[in-house]
Amino acid sequence: MLGTGIASAQENVDPDRPASPLDGSLAVPIRIANNDVATPVGQYGLPIIDTTISTDDLRLREVVGPLLTPARDAAHTGPGIPERTPDPLNGNRGNADVAIPVDVSGNIIGAGGNGVVVNDSAQSYVKDRDVTTEGRHSSLGGNVADIDYALPIQATGNAVALPGSDVESYNRADQHTEVTGDTTTSGSQSTLAGNIAALQYATPVRLNGNAISGGGNARTHSDTTSSTAVGGSGRTSGDDGTLSGNIAGHPLALPLGTNGNALGTLGNAEAVATNGTDTTAGGTRPGRDDLPHWAQTSGNPSTLSGNILQPQQATPVDLDGNATSVVGNTATAGQSDSHARAGGISSTNAHNAALSGNIVDGPLALPSQVAGNGSAVVGTAAAQHDHRVDVQSGWDTHSKGDDSVLSANGVTAPYSGTADLFSNAQSVLGVATASGSNDSHARTGGYNGATGNNAVGSGNIAQLPVAAPVEGYGLATGAVSSAGSIAQEHKVVESGGDPNTIDDWGTVSSNVLTGPVSAPVQLFGDSLGAVANVSGTADNDTTAKAGGNPTANGRGGSASGNIVQAPGSLPTQLFGASTTAVGNGDATGYNHTASQAGGHAATDGSNASLSGNAVSAPIGAATQHFGSGTTAGGNVLGSATNLTSSTAGGTVTTAGDRGSVSGNGVTVPLLPVTQAFGHSEGVAGNGAAAAANSTYASSGGDVHSSGEFGSISGDLLTVPVVPATTVFSDSVAALGTADSVASHDLVGNASGTTQSSGYDSGAGSGGDTDIPVVVTPRVFDVPLQIVGQSLTLVFSHNQQIDTGDGSESGRLDLPVEGDALMQILDLPVFGQPSGQPRTLPAPALAPAPVPGTPQHGLRSAGAGPEVGLGAVDLAEGIDPAAVESLVGGLDLQRVIGQGAPTAAPGAALLSGNVVDGFPRRLQGQL
């Protein structure tokens, strides 16, 4: 059946119409069309509904007006007091606009018959209403409660096949919804007036292009878009007021989608889908400094006024392009594009005020997706999906609290992350393949600025930003089956920005407390199998950044301008690791990760007391396991390249000249690096591993201060702590073979140079103390074997740890190298005398491939499998020369000349297993 339809509704409120104290609307535009049922006796269309259920602008003024007759005919007027039309609610306003557009079209159900449906649908609804009122010179006047809510529902282009059916849907659908409007009021020179409470919720629900088979055949071809916008900006004032001009708002952008999935049980299902969504909660208009503001108020001078509370959320959730079969065959191919925004810039002022102009900010950006996964139980499943997401929640905050008490303080806790499971393949008694890409950008918060000049307890900032993507992709798992996956990702996750506060001659003012955390947790390019053939390949490019450069100033103050920061850069990753029990496994991981938390800290406590001090405890860590192969009764290869940068904190600069207990710096930079890579284990099987590591880790930086003409000022204490543990290019063989190849390059910096001066100072000023603690155990190039063959090779090994003081005190370096360890152990080879040459088994150059899956490399962006139940070939791999990147592009001939691999005691390096000093099994991999 062929059908098209366009439905549109627009409800722009007349701006000249008198405002009602209580306004509201509920609109439910409904479009139900082109939905069919296929039966053994023919295809039938379901009833068509195209209508709008609406309150047609519910207005309660006519109801409450007679009940709230004003006590006098005219409002009291006088000098500076505006003349006001009598208002039974004293300028208070309540408004609620709700829209629930529904589009159900282009769906087909097969009930024992065959059928095709074609659909082209467009639906639009627009509602725009500003709320404007006035609460100046009033008590309990001019307050606004405003709710804008859009819940569009789009269910189009789905196909469901019951036994004996063959159905197909061709679908194109677009849905557009707006429920918007700005809010403006004022509570100046008032009490409990001009406050704004706003809920701005956009939660579109999309169910499009899904193919479901229960004993039949279902196919969908779908192209859908959805755009939703709610709310606007808020503007008020609480100047010269009490409990006035405050703003509390909750913008929420929460699009939910289940699109382009294929589910087959005792049948076949295929879905090809493209979908896009754009969701905005909260709007902006030009404000201070001509910047686009979401919230703007002030409290000069006032009490408990001009404060802002703003939890902001942008959290798209997508379940797209997954192929799942249970005793069936499924395939998907598609792409999705999601954009979400919530809130914006917020600012306030609180000069000569008390408990005013404070900002509490909690933005959240957490896009989540389960996409492009292939899952098969006694069947086949092939999924290909490309995903793009761009999310922003919150923005900059500004507050001024000069000459105030407990005002213009900022508390912000932005959280930016992702929760992703994509392009994974899992199979039990079946065949599953998955491929795809993910381009993701999530941002929360921004710059946080405050002032507290000549103030008490004002202009302080507490900032706790977190950037934490959590995900798994390019993973392959199987039991008595075959599974293969390929995934590519580019990800940027940012949370918070620079905290900046300035205070001259303040008391307990303009201090900064910040604890930014950048913590990517990622599993990619791994494989796990039991009596199975599994292959996982992934390319990761991740940037995670939390916080920025904290700046404070406590000149001439008391307990002001101090900075306490504890930034943590904590990437945790597992990639390029393959593990099998009876079967063939292959895992390849390419990693490029940049993680940063915090930045350079600067303050000044000159001519002050208990001011301008800086305490910094950065953690620049890296916890990684990559490029490993472990097998029992199988063949396995794990390979990886790692390029990681982990940075926490930076330089610390302060001064305590002519101060008292000011301008001191205490830094405790931690550099815990834990890495295990390029190791193999073979038990009654053949294990192989190749890994190249290049890691830069930094914690803290240079520290400078001075305490000239001061007392207990300008002192520095630095305690760098470095527990760096690396284990690489080790192998263990028992009744089998294990070959490992690795290169290692680690550069770590904990602290930097420290410098202070105390010219003509009192006791205890200008001191500079460094106490480094460095423990760096390394275990590498160690082959162990029991009735087997174990070989290891280290291409290059460079590890440098700098604590800035230039001395070797406090250092404990514990390298354990294979040659030295073998001399100590001198283990015999069980089954023959130690040292006796023997002919070693010559294992295959690589594990057996998984049908239809590449063993190395990535497909080009946007490429996917051929969609069809009988064609699930993902790619044919890449040129083997490209795999030289596994060891950083090293020249093999040059490396070979540096020496032969290390063998376990008693093992002879015979020509049948070592070619030109290089393990035979890895010749074809590097």
Side-chain angles (χ1 to χ4, degrees):
M1 180 174 288
L2 174 65
T4 63
I6 298 175
S8 178
Q10 184 164 337
E11 297 187 30
N12 291 318
V13 177
D14 181 1
D16 297 326
R17 189 191 66 190
S20 171
L22 298 174
D23 281 346
S25 67
L26 171 63
V28 186
I30 300 175
R31 181 178 186 273
I32 299 177
N34 302 328
N35 300 296
D36 289 6
V37 176
T39 72
V41 296
Q43 180 174 338
Y44 298 94
L46 298 178
I48 296 175
I49 301 175
D50 194 348
T51 187
T52 297
I53 302 173
S54 173
T55 59
D56 193 21
D57 196 26
L58 178 64
R59 293 166 55 77
L60 300 181
R61 161 171 258 204
E62 291 77 6
V63 177
V64 301
L67 303 178
L68 298 172
T69 304
R72 47 189 171 180
D73 293 336
H76 173 69
T77 61
I81 300 177
E83 185 173 350
R84 207 183 275 120
T85 301
D87 186 338
L89 291 184
N90 202 24
N92 296 296
R93 296 288 180 264
N95 184 72
D97 292 320
V98 179
I100 309 176
V102 177
D103 182 8
V104 179
S105 58
N107 303 291
I108 186 168
I109 298 175
N114 302 332
V116 177
V117 67
V118 178
N119 182 61
D120 192 346
S121 175
Q123 185 182 45
S124 177
Y125 176 83
V126 176
K127 176 79 172 186
D128 184 75
R129 185 206 304 270
D130 292 337
V131 178
T132 302
T133 186
E134 178 67 69
R136 289 180 293 173
H137 300 279
S138 71
S139 177
L140 283 171
N143 299 293
V144 176
D146 185 37
I147 298 174
D148 294 317
Y149 183 34
L151 175 59
I153 298 172
Q154 186 183 53
T156 66
N158 300 291
V160 178
L162 300 178
S165 301
D166 187 294
V167 292
E168 191 165 9
S169 173
Y170 292 86
N171 176 62
R172 178 180 297 170
D174 174 75
Q175 190 175 52
H176 176 80
T177 309
E178 293 183 27
V179 182
T180 57
D182 295 329
T183 300
T184 305
T185 185
S186 175
S188 300
Q189 299 178 306
S190 301
T191 301
L192 289 168
N195 299 294
I196 296 175
L199 300 180
Q200 303 167 335
Y201 292 168
T203 60
V205 177
R206 295 156 293 121
L207 303 166
N208 301 309
N210 299 290
I212 301 174
S213 172
N217 301 315
R219 296 176 300 279
T220 61
H221 312 265
S222 181
D223 183 356
T224 61
T225 57
S226 173
S227 60
T228 308
V230 300
S233 63
R235 183 163 299 176
T236 185
S237 171
D239 295 347
D240 300 295
T242 300
L243 287 167
S244 298
N246 300 293
I247 297 176
H250 183 202
L252 170 66
L254 178 60
L256 305 172
T258 299
N259 305 290
N261 299 289
L263 174 62
T265 300
L266 298 173
N268 304 316
E270 297 181 25
V272 179
T274 299
N275 65 88
T277 179
D278 193 331
T279 309
T280 301
T284 63
R285 56 177 147 168
R288 292 189 180 97
D289 301 319
D290 202 30
L291 296 174
H293 276 63
W294 174 73
Q296 179 175 304
T297 184
S298 62
N300 307 317
S302 64
T303 302
L304 288 168
S305 299
N307 300 293
I308 297 175
L309 172 64
Q310 52 180 24
Q312 305 161 85
Q313 294 175 254
T315 54
V317 178
D318 293 304
L319 181 66
D320 295 342
N322 299 288
T324 304
S325 65
V326 180
V327 193
N329 303 304
T330 57
T332 65
Q335 61 185 26
S336 57
D337 196 337
S338 180
H339 299 259
R341 299 286 184 276
I345 294 175
S346 301
S347 70
T348 182
N349 289 326
H351 299 295
N352 299 296
L355 293 165
S356 298
N358 299 293
I359 297 177
V360 178
D361 185 28
L364 170 67
L366 185 61
S368 304
Q369 65 155 329
V370 178
N373 299 292
S375 304
V377 178
V378 192
T380 66
Q384 189 278 324
H385 191 81
D386 296 316
H387 182 73
R388 182 177 183 272
V389 61
D390 192 328
V391 176
Q392 171 76 52
S393 179
W395 206 265
D396 299 345
T397 64
H398 307 265
S399 184
K400 296 181 180 179
D402 299 342
D403 304 295
S404 295
V405 176
L406 296 175
S407 297
N409 297 295
V411 177
T412 178
Y415 185 101
S416 181
T418 60
D420 295 334
L421 289 172
F422 72 94
S423 297
N424 300 302
Q426 40 277 326
S427 179
V428 177
L429 297 172
V431 177
T433 58
S435 70
S437 65
N438 183 36
D439 189 346
S440 177
H441 196 169
R443 300 179 298 274
T444 55
Y447 172 88
N448 303 126
T451 65
N453 293 301
N454 304 298
V456 176
S458 299
N460 300 291
I461 295 176
Q463 182 204 58
L464 300 172
V466 176
V470 179
E471 57 193 337
Y473 59 94
L475 307 175
T477 57
V480 195
S481 61
S482 294
S485 62
I486 300 176
Q488 185 173 16
E489 176 171 75
H490 174 258
K491 175 162 289 182
V492 178
V493 177
E494 300 173 288
S495 180
D498 297 340
N500 190 315
T501 181
I502 300 174
D503 163 42
D504 288 335
W505 311 101
T507 300
V508 196
S509 297
S510 293
N511 299 291
V512 174
L513 171 65
T514 179
V517 176
S518 173
V521 178
Q522 298 169 304
L523 284 73
F524 55 94
D526 303 312
S527 64
L528 176 65
V531 194
N533 295 331
V534 290
S535 175
T537 299
D539 188 341
N540 175 58
D541 184 355
T542 294
T543 299
K545 183 178 184 294
N549 302 315
T551 303
N553 181 17
R555 289 191 298 263
S558 175
S560 298
N562 299 293
I563 295 177
V564 177
Q565 68 166 348
S569 177
L570 311 169
T572 303
Q573 297 170 317
L574 171 65
F575 56 97
S578 182
T579 302
T580 65
V582 185
N584 300 306
D586 177 80
T588 305
Y590 306 92
N591 181 44
H592 182 190
T593 295
S595 174
Q596 180 180 346
H600 305 302
T603 185
D604 189 348
S606 301
N607 301 295
S609 62
L610 298 171
S611 299
N613 299 293
V615 177
S616 181
I619 304 175
T623 302
Q624 297 172 312
H625 180 184
F626 55 94
S628 66
T630 302
T631 186
N635 302 300
V636 69
L637 169 64
S639 56
T641 59
N642 180 46
L643 180 60
T644 295
S645 171
S646 179
T647 304
T651 62
V652 176
T653 304
T654 185
D657 298 340
R658 298 179 178 84
S660 176
V661 195
S662 297
N664 299 294
V666 177
T667 60
V668 184
L670 303 178
L671 199 73
V673 176
T674 303
Q675 295 178 313
F677 55 93
H679 65 85
S680 63
E681 295 79 31
V683 178
N686 302 314
N693 179 43
S694 180
T695 299
Y696 172 77
S698 178
S699 181
D702 297 342
V703 184
H704 295 162
S705 185
S706 65
E708 298 184 359
F709 304 103
S711 174
I712 313 182
S713 297
D715 293 308
L716 301 180
L717 172 62
T718 305
V719 184
V721 179
V722 184
T725 302
T726 52
V727 179
F728 57 97
S729 193
D730 303 309
S731 61
V732 177
L735 303 172
T737 67
D739 300 331
S740 299
V741 178
S743 66
H744 175 52
D745 189 356
L746 170 63
V747 176
N749 293 308
S751 187
T753 62
T754 59
Q755 182 179 358
S756 185
S757 61
Y759 175 76
D760 200 17
S761 301
S765 293
D768 185 355
T769 303
D770 293 296
I771 307 174
V773 178
V774 181
V775 180
T776 57
R778 284 166 287 162
V779 179
F780 61 96
D781 202 13
V782 178
L784 298 176
Q785 64 186 38
I786 301 175
V787 191
Q789 174 65 59
S790 179
L791 300 175
T792 62
L793 174 63
V794 176
F795 277 118
S796 61
H797 174 210
N798 175 46
Q799 181 165 308
Q800 302 177 26
I801 304 296
D802 183 13
T803 59
D805 65 339
S807 71
E808 295 297 321
S809 62
R811 290 176 176 264
L812 180 60
D813 193 13
L814 299 172
V816 178
E817 190 172 0
D819 289 338
L821 182 62
M822 294 304 102
Q823 292 174 7
I824 297 173
L825 297 177
D826 195 19
L827 296 175
V829 177
F830 292 95
Q832 68 179 65
S834 174
Q836 179 176 334
R838 70 190 190 285
T839 301
L840 303 177
L845 293 181
V850 176
T853 17
Q855 298 305 295
H856 298 286
L858 293 168
R859 64 176 50 259
S860 59
E866 190 178 349
V867 177
L869 300 179
V872 294
D873 183 23
L874 297 180
E876 296 186 8
I878 62 173
D879 186 339
V883 188
E884 285 186 3
S885 61
L886 291 177
V887 290
L890 295 173
D891 184 347
L892 265 185
Q893 297 303 318
R894 179 179 60 82
V895 173
I896 290 171
Q898 295 177 357
T902 303
L909 302 180
L910 303 181
S911 59
N913 297 280
V914 178
V915 180
D916 293 330
F918 193 75
R920 178 184 177 87
R921 290 196 67 207
L922 298 176
Q923 282 283 338
Q925 306 302 324
L926 300 172

